[in-house]
Amino acid sequence: MLTLEGGSPPPKRGDAARAVGFIRPWAFGLGSVAYLFSVGWVKWKNRAVIVELCRHFGYSYDIREPAELPDVATSALVPGAGLLD
């Protein structure tokens, strides 16, 4: 371990200092969510953020419907007498 002569590590922060340090990102997140769910959802990229937020908390959202191909007879695909008959 590297040491500096006459140096000492910074003091450990107490619980109150850590809590106060967390208030800033908490308030920013709260304001962001208020914007996102009030008027921010109008923009496409913000709707994508809402979907990602839901995925983060375990909600699987997929707007795409599974593709269902129609049943088609081979005679409709190959005109006349073909190799597939």
Side-chain angles (χ1 to χ4, degrees):
M1 176 168 159
L2 296 175
T3 58
L4 178 63
E5 274 187 48
S8 62
K12 292 193 178 196
R13 293 175 22 163
D15 291 338
R18 288 179 38 223
V20 168
F22 182 71
I23 288 175
R24 186 173 177 185
W26 179 86
F28 182 80
L30 182 64
S32 299
V33 167
Y35 164 76
L36 186 65
F37 285 102
S38 60
V39 295
W41 62 269
V42 176
K43 293 183 179 181
W44 178 88
K45 72 175 191 171
N46 292 341
R47 288 193 298 269
V49 169
I50 292 172
V51 171
E52 286 302 315
L53 185 64
C54 291
R55 283 191 185 126
H56 175 77
F57 286 104
Y59 178 72
S60 179
Y61 175 77
D62 194 3
I63 196 165
R64 297 172 295 179
E65 294 184 17
E68 293 184 25
L69 300 176
D71 291 332
V72 178
T74 56
S75 59
L77 297 175
V78 181
L83 296 174
L84 298 176
D85 287 337

